[in-house]
Amino acid sequence: EQVIDYAISETKLPLYDVNICADCLYAIGTNSGYSLVPSVFGKRSALTNWSPLGIPNWYPQDKFIPKLVKDKNKKEFLSFHEMFSSIAGWSQFENDYKKLGIKLCDNTPDEILDIVCELHNEVVNGTTQEKTTLQSKFNDLFFNHDGYVGSQISQKFLERHETLL
């Protein structure tokens, strides 16, 4: 109730493409040009399955969760440092990953639910997230690898994947 999966909606029309972003409480999206539209109207977004990790959306009020990268041989996720130190942190092209024996992994339903609940709580209850030690460590990785901090990584995602820091 009160949720529209616009991508598959029968009422999808070009006119609504922009209006829905202007009128929503917040948006849930992924890495596409459309992810920029809600912020133009002052609306926040929860951005899922974000790739590449090193190039976040530039709106700091948005939250994101990146796709993690798994080493096919070791069968474990690369750390954030390993991602930032290789093409895995900077490319979204599947061929770049195949050459290195690594693969992008979609976010889990629980990770997506976490970020949506986190943003929903902030928007509906007007709470603001204090910068945590985990977020500071993550942001430091950006700066140490010549990146920039735009959208903020989800606190819940960092808690789930603290070992990758």
Side-chain angles (χ1 to χ4, degrees):
E1 188 176 324
Q2 297 182 336
V3 173
I4 299 168
D5 188 342
Y6 182 66
I8 61 170
S9 172
E10 292 178 9
T11 61
K12 188 172 180 357
L13 296 171
L15 175 64
Y16 295 161
D17 289 353
V18 174
N19 288 349
I20 200 166
C21 292
D23 294 336
C24 68
L25 185 59
Y26 55 85
I28 304 165
T30 191
N31 186 3
S32 70
Y34 195 69
S35 69
L36 301 171
V37 180
S39 293
V40 170
F41 296 100
K43 305 298 181 166
R44 296 180 66 192
S45 293
L47 303 167
T48 65
N49 285 302
W50 192 268
S51 177
L53 173 66
I55 306 173
N57 203 345
W58 54 77
Y59 292 112
Q61 73 273 14
D62 291 345
K63 291 187 171 285
F64 81 102
I65 52 175
K67 287 187 176 193
L68 295 177
V69 178
K70 187 172 270 189
D71 183 310
K72 291 180 183 178
N73 295 324
K74 296 179 186 175
K75 298 188 173 146
E76 59 186 39
F77 291 120
L78 299 182
S79 71
F80 293 128
H81 174 73
E82 290 169 321
M83 289 174 68
F84 283 126
S85 299
S86 71
I87 196 73
W90 305 98
S91 175
Q92 60 187 15
F93 300 110
E94 195 71 32
N95 285 339
D96 290 337
Y97 291 83
K98 286 179 185 177
K99 291 175 193 172
L100 297 174
I102 55 179
K103 70 174 188 169
L104 284 168
C105 300
D106 288 340
N107 297 136
T108 67
D110 287 340
E111 290 168 339
I112 294 170
L113 180 60
D114 282 348
I115 191 175
V116 171
C117 289
E118 188 175 323
L119 184 63
H120 180 83
N121 188 41
E122 290 180 18
V123 170
V124 170
N125 297 326
T127 59
T128 54
Q129 182 95 28
E130 294 291 324
K131 190 159 135 187
T132 67
T133 302
L134 294 177
Q135 287 171 332
S136 292
K137 284 182 184 179
F138 184 81
N139 290 348
D140 287 346
L141 282 172
F142 264 117
F143 295 130
N144 291 335
H145 290 90
D146 297 324
Y148 66 93
V149 176
S151 299
Q152 297 297 306
I153 192 164
S154 161
Q155 175 64 28
K156 295 281 188 192
F157 188 83
L158 287 177
E159 290 169 2
R160 265 184 197 274
H161 300 289
E162 185 173 0
T163 59
L164 301 181
L165 279 171

